[in-house]
Amino acid sequence: MGIVVQKYGGSSVADAAGVKRVAQRIIATKKAGHDVVVVVSAMGDTTDELIDLANEVTPLPPARELDMLLTAGERISMAVLAMAIQSLGFDARSFTGSQAGVITDAEHGRAKIIDVTPGRIQAAIGEGAIAIVAGFQGVSQTTKDITTLGRGGSDTTAVALAVALQADVCEIYSDVDGIFTADPRIEPRARKVPRISYEETLEMAAQGAKILHLRCVEYARRYDMPIHVRSSFSDKEGTWVVKAEDVNKDGNMEAAIITGVAHDRSQAKITVVGVPDKVGEAAAIFRAVAEAQTNIDMIVQNVSAAATGRTDISFTLPRAEGQAAMAALSKLQGEVGYERLQYDDSVGKVSVVGAGMSTAPGITATFFAALADAGVNIEMISTSEIRVSVVVAESQVEAAVNAAHAAYNLGSDEIEAVVYGGTGR
Amino acid sequence: MGIVVQKYGGSSVADAAGVKRVAQRIIATKKAGHDVVVVVSAMGDTTDELIDLANEVTPLPPARELDMLLTAGERISMAVLAMAIQSLGFDARSFTGSQAGVITDAEHGRAKIIDVTPGRIQAAIGEGAIAIVAGFQGVSQTTKDITTLGRGGSDTTAVALAVALQADVCEIYSDVDGIFTADPRIEPRARKVPRISYEETLEMAAQGAKILHLRCVEYARRYDMPIHVRSSFSDKEGTWVVKAEDVNKDGNMEAAIITGVAHDRSQAKITVVGVPDKVGEAAAIFRAVAEAQTNIDMIVQNVSAAATGRTDISFTLPRAEGQAAMAALSKLQGEVGYERLQYDDSVGKVSVVGAGMSTAPGITATFFAALADAGVNIEMISTSEIRVSVVVAESQVEAAVNAAHAAYNLGSDEIEAVVYGGTGR
């Protein structure tokens, strides 16, 4: 049997009882004959508490020292987890990111993995031990300083280690049973998806589904490492994230055209009203917004009204970046000569995602018809090869999700009792 | 100006306010023109809390993992301290024991420093930065695993770094103003000693004065590194621990014959009554006690009573080890044929220490006369070149300290308001 890499999030190891439960699970995998390498996040709220401590000392903690501070969190959880496994009679050894050979660039707080040299991990599992590795952290190749990988870092650590160790699978554990056709908190008939492609997972994640972080899925796709998303609270099979041609390899089921419905309530919409319809105006607007460090998602430009020679440009962006973008645009009024700005943070985005979409006609029509029947007004539209997204009023997000879910027959007959949450970092 | 190494204990950096105060102090030293290297312990009760967490998972945490866990404590304090210094406009960088080049053997929980290669520290201070180093920890030369140095570890880290960096001085900060002629909690006239030799400090520490740990003083003596023991809560000069010939180098004061009075309430006394006065009986007794891993301090054997051919053997040992020693001795009754065992944990030890003692006659007589005048009964006596110790009833420890302090005129005219405590780890 081969190597299994398992990643446990902070909610799975929130306290001593959780650590012991996870230890049992790890041992069960070891007993099944696998070599086991475990990546663990900081316990519960440890990271937030460490950030609070830093902020008690200074409002702007320097990035190098913040990384040094935060990596204490995984150091604690990995050591305690190794202790719990040893107390059950199995050999276990913890390793920092640096000791595990997670080599990064020097971008503190958002370092990128540039190499993984897991010699000590291979030696440990070669001697029959279970290796416990700190997620979220590495060491800079150039400065030799400790770095952190930013959001989704522990998932990425797990996938990168799985690739470097040529593992059979990377299992990502959280408090959710897998990836669902929609968020079960607002769609009671949401169904767990048994298999999904990397590409669909990326679209779902990018469109607001809090499943896996984009980085780790991109890493897994690049090296074709299967990810098994599952719950640390049950023994049920979760969702396998695999390459597109393997999604239906069981052969006993028709490929679903639509895999799921994602939604995102974290966005805001800015409309620049009355922009003179001249070459270069849109470029000036988006250059200003980019300089304010905002990440634009959807953009819509109306056809120019012949009578006025003016048009409206709308775009969506994360709410947290809304004020900075508005400030940047305000400064531009004299130069561009637009009439006014509108800011709306009562919007939501609903997306249908499915790899079968590109070859199935009528998908978009079905979606829009379902929304119309539910009385949902579409404010903006954007599409990709395997996705259609709409911006609607935030108050209509739930109705839109329910309508789309029903329109594509995504629901199961029985309602599964699950809590749908994030996977931590 | 040269390099100053400063060590701050956990009580000095117990919270954000403490960290900021210490940061100010460090910057003052930097502004005075020194290169500053700081060794810091874990904040407040962090270490105890981490031990509690380990014990929630397993009653006997494996030593390698316990070291990994506990080193998270200094990682937190050093990063936060570096942040506080940077927020005040000075460059500061934190380093783990491993990064600072603290190389140890592989004895987890009580590792010994075998080399210090502070290349990164030298580079940091060469660039004008203040270097913050995690105390208490290092990395094993053979296994590359993280180790801790055990009790007194941070003090030892500071002295070892000071030696490796050829610093001018190693300053050890705590919540005490320095080394006193006696514990001010029981001797209100106790006076801070301005200078004391390594040898006297070792005797004071070994006899129960909670000043500096033996290890760090031994290390400083071996390499002749001056230690300045002082309070992080005041700017007062503390006590300089230096080589004997430098104690009175100011030349303007007569050498004190007695430097201080130490006491120790942590010991117990065991008496083996009615031991047959034959060759090898004492050896059998102390071999059994040694096998029980107990550390014997004083030993007294009475002259054999001619009528019975039997004698009594008494010895003192740490109370925590008393039950193990009693159990080991009980098993020996058949072999040795002693009459019975007595166990007394209501004893205390009082010692007078002074380098001038060896050349000044009558010191012991003065001590014993003072004790007699105070009504204190002496149970056991032991002496070294620069020390006389007595075991007395625990209830008479305070009277004995006061009597000795007065007999040698150690007191100051004014009563200093200080709290006398440990220096953390």
Side-chain angles (χ1 to χ4, degrees):
Chain A
M1 303 254 217
I3 297 171
V4 173
V5 174
Q6 302 184 327
K7 181 260 175 178
Y8 293 92
S11 61
S12 299
V13 291
D15 53 21
V19 169
K20 289 183 194 174
R21 195 190 64 243
V22 165
Q24 295 278 11
R25 229 191 148 94
I26 292 166
I27 288 171
T29 309
K30 176 73 181 168
K31 279 184 175 168
H34 300 284
D35 286 328
V36 188
V37 176
V38 176
V39 174
V40 68
S41 300
M43 294 173 75
D45 300 325
T46 306
T47 303
D48 290 338
E49 289 163 11
L50 291 172
I51 290 172
D52 289 347
L53 175 62
N55 286 330
E56 279 183 56
V57 170
T58 174
L60 285 173
R64 178 192 187 274
E65 300 305 325
L66 190 59
D67 278 0
M68 186 68 94
L69 177 67
L70 295 185
T71 52
E74 285 78 25
R75 195 179 194 84
I76 292 169
S77 58
M78 72 182 191
V80 173
L81 181 55
M83 289 177 190
I85 294 171
Q86 287 199 41
S87 77
L88 296 168
F90 285 76
D91 192 8
R93 290 172 223 165
S94 66
F95 297 93
T96 64
S98 173
Q99 290 176 334
V102 180
I103 313 293
T104 73
D105 61 22
E107 290 290 321
H108 287 290
R110 51 191 168 95
K112 294 218 168 8
I113 295 175
I114 53 183
D115 196 9
V116 180
T117 53
R120 293 190 66 177
I121 306 302
Q122 285 160 325
I125 61 179
E127 291 166 18
I130 295 162
I132 315 290
V133 179
F136 179 64
Q137 60 179 252
V139 62
S140 158
Q141 192 171 43
T142 50
T143 65
K144 307 299 177 200
D145 286 332
I146 302 302
T147 54
T148 67
L149 310 179
R151 281 197 64 77
S154 288
D155 289 358
T156 308
T157 301
V159 171
L161 263 177
V163 169
L165 293 166
Q166 299 183 284
D168 292 344
V169 59
C170 180
E171 299 182 336
I172 308 266
Y173 288 85
S174 72
D175 50 6
V176 187
D177 279 342
I179 298 175
F180 283 74
T181 51
D183 184 341
R185 283 176 303 196
I186 69 171
E187 175 48 65
R189 293 193 173 277
R191 192 175 38 81
K192 187 171 66 192
V193 181
R195 287 172 171 272
I196 185 171
S197 67
Y198 298 120
E199 292 75 13
E200 289 165 308
T201 309
L202 286 170
E203 285 282 11
M204 293 281 279
Q207 300 313 317
K210 294 177 186 67
I211 311 162
L212 291 169
H213 290 277
L214 286 177
R215 277 173 81 178
C216 100
V217 182
E218 281 167 0
Y219 205 111
R221 177 172 65 163
R222 195 175 321 136
Y223 296 99
D224 190 18
M225 172 55 60
I227 299 176
H228 188 184
V229 181
R230 54 198 306 199
S231 168
S232 68
F233 294 87
S234 87
D235 284 326
K236 278 191 270 191
E237 279 274 302
T239 298
W240 285 80
V241 182
V242 293
K243 60 174 186 264
E245 50 267 46
D246 289 345
V247 169
N248 296 296
K249 72 173 181 183
D250 297 347
N252 58 356
M253 57 191 289
E254 192 74 18
I257 292 169
I258 296 297
T259 304
V261 182
H263 72 277
D264 183 359
R265 296 182 200 265
S266 69
Q267 298 228 321
K269 183 176 77 166
I270 290 176
T271 303
V272 188
V273 179
V275 180
D277 196 1
K278 293 188 300 191
V279 171
E281 298 291 45
I285 286 170
F286 290 107
R287 190 167 54 240
V289 173
E291 281 166 5
Q293 301 291 322
T294 57
N295 294 291
I296 287 175
D297 182 17
M298 290 165 64
I299 300 174
V300 170
Q301 178 170 347
N302 292 346
V303 174
S304 172
T308 61
R310 288 174 178 269
T311 184
D312 301 339
I313 296 177
S314 296
F315 59 90
T316 59
L317 76 175
R319 279 179 204 174
E321 299 169 3
Q323 293 313 314
M326 287 294 281
L329 288 170
S330 292
K331 288 189 204 144
L332 213 66
Q333 188 161 19
E335 180 190 333
V336 171
Y338 63 80
E339 288 167 12
R340 66 179 192 281
L341 298 175
Q342 284 177 351
Y343 181 71
D344 182 359
D345 60 5
S346 304
V347 297
K349 187 171 58 169
V350 176
S351 308
V352 294
V353 174
M357 188 185 290
S358 55
T359 56
I363 293 295
T364 307
T366 305
F367 186 25
F368 293 172
L371 293 177
D373 289 347
V376 175
N377 184 47
I378 299 172
E379 298 187 15
M380 295 170 76
I381 299 169
S382 104
T383 62
S384 81
E385 279 291 294
I386 61 171
R387 172 184 57 83
V388 180
S389 299
V390 296
V391 170
V392 300
E394 190 178 6
S395 59
Q396 295 191 304
V397 164
E398 191 161 335
V401 170
N402 297 152
H405 204 262
Y408 298 113
N409 288 315
L410 294 177
S412 62
D413 293 333
E414 55 179 325
I415 294 174
E416 299 195 44
V418 291
V419 178
Y420 192 81
T423 58
R425 72 180 193 202
Chain B
M1 303 255 218
I3 298 171
V4 172
V5 174
Q6 301 185 327
K7 179 259 173 178
Y8 293 91
S11 61
S12 299
V13 291
D15 53 21
V19 169
K20 289 184 194 173
R21 194 189 66 242
V22 164
Q24 295 278 11
R25 230 194 145 95
I26 292 166
I27 288 171
T29 309
K30 176 75 179 167
K31 280 184 176 168
H34 300 284
D35 287 329
V36 187
V37 175
V38 176
V39 174
V40 68
S41 299
M43 295 173 75
D45 300 324
T46 306
T47 303
D48 289 339
E49 288 163 13
L50 291 172
I51 291 173
D52 289 346
L53 175 61
N55 286 330
E56 280 183 55
V57 170
T58 173
L60 284 172
R64 178 192 187 276
E65 300 305 325
L66 190 59
D67 278 0
M68 186 68 95
L69 178 67
L70 295 185
T71 52
E74 285 77 25
R75 196 178 194 86
I76 293 169
S77 57
M78 72 182 192
V80 173
L81 181 55
M83 289 177 189
I85 293 171
Q86 287 200 40
S87 76
L88 295 169
F90 285 76
D91 191 8
R93 291 172 222 165
S94 66
F95 297 94
T96 64
S98 174
Q99 290 176 334
V102 179
I103 314 294
T104 72
D105 61 24
E107 290 291 322
H108 288 290
R110 52 194 167 96
K112 293 218 168 9
I113 295 175
I114 53 183
D115 198 8
V116 180
T117 54
R120 293 189 66 178
I121 306 302
Q122 285 161 326
I125 60 178
E127 291 165 18
I130 294 162
I132 315 290
V133 178
F136 180 65
Q137 59 179 250
V139 60
S140 158
Q141 191 171 44
T142 50
T143 65
K144 308 298 176 201
D145 286 332
I146 302 301
T147 54
T148 67
L149 309 181
R151 281 198 63 76
S154 288
D155 289 358
T156 307
T157 301
V159 171
L161 263 176
V163 169
L165 294 165
Q166 298 182 286
D168 292 344
V169 58
C170 179
E171 299 183 336
I172 307 269
Y173 288 84
S174 72
D175 50 5
V176 186
D177 278 342
I179 298 176
F180 283 75
T181 51
D183 183 342
R185 284 176 302 195
I186 69 170
E187 175 49 66
R189 294 194 171 276
R191 189 177 40 82
K192 187 171 66 190
V193 180
R195 288 172 168 271
I196 185 173
S197 67
Y198 299 119
E199 292 75 13
E200 288 166 308
T201 308
L202 286 170
E203 285 282 9
M204 293 282 279
Q207 299 313 317
K210 295 178 184 65
I211 313 161
L212 291 169
H213 289 277
L214 285 176
R215 279 174 78 179
C216 99
V217 181
E218 281 167 1
Y219 205 111
R221 178 173 64 164
R222 194 175 323 135
Y223 297 99
D224 191 18
M225 172 55 59
I227 300 176
H228 188 184
V229 181
R230 55 198 305 197
S231 168
S232 68
F233 294 87
S234 87
D235 284 326
K236 278 192 270 188
E237 277 275 300
T239 299
W240 285 79
V241 181
V242 294
K243 63 174 185 261
E245 50 266 48
D246 290 344
V247 170
N248 295 297
K249 72 173 181 187
D250 297 347
N252 58 356
M253 58 189 292
E254 191 76 19
I257 291 169
I258 297 297
T259 305
V261 182
H263 73 277
D264 183 357
R265 296 181 201 266
S266 70
Q267 299 228 321
K269 184 176 76 167
I270 290 176
T271 303
V272 188
V273 179
V275 180
D277 195 2
K278 292 188 298 189
V279 171
E281 298 291 47
I285 287 169
F286 290 108
R287 190 168 54 239
V289 173
E291 282 166 4
Q293 302 289 325
T294 56
N295 294 292
I296 287 176
D297 181 18
M298 290 163 65
I299 301 174
V300 170
Q301 179 171 347
N302 293 346
V303 174
S304 171
T308 61
R310 285 173 180 268
T311 185
D312 301 338
I313 297 177
S314 295
F315 58 90
T316 60
L317 75 175
R319 277 178 207 175
E321 299 169 4
Q323 292 313 315
M326 287 293 280
L329 288 171
S330 293
K331 288 189 205 147
L332 213 66
Q333 187 161 21
E335 181 190 332
V336 171
Y338 63 78
E339 287 166 13
R340 66 179 192 279
L341 298 174
Q342 285 177 352
Y343 181 71
D344 182 1
D345 61 5
S346 304
V347 297
K349 188 170 59 170
V350 176
S351 308
V352 294
V353 174
M357 188 185 290
S358 54
T359 55
I363 293 297
T364 308
T366 303
F367 186 25
F368 292 172
L371 293 176
D373 288 349
V376 174
N377 185 46
I378 299 172
E379 298 186 16
M380 296 171 76
I381 301 169
S382 104
T383 61
S384 80
E385 280 289 295
I386 61 171
R387 170 183 59 84
V388 179
S389 299
V390 296
V391 170
V392 300
E394 191 179 6
S395 60
Q396 294 191 307
V397 164
E398 191 161 335
V401 169
N402 296 153
H405 205 262
Y408 298 112
N409 288 315
L410 295 176
S412 61
D413 292 334
E414 55 179 325
I415 294 174
E416 298 194 46
V418 292
V419 178
Y420 192 79
T423 58
R425 73 182 193 199

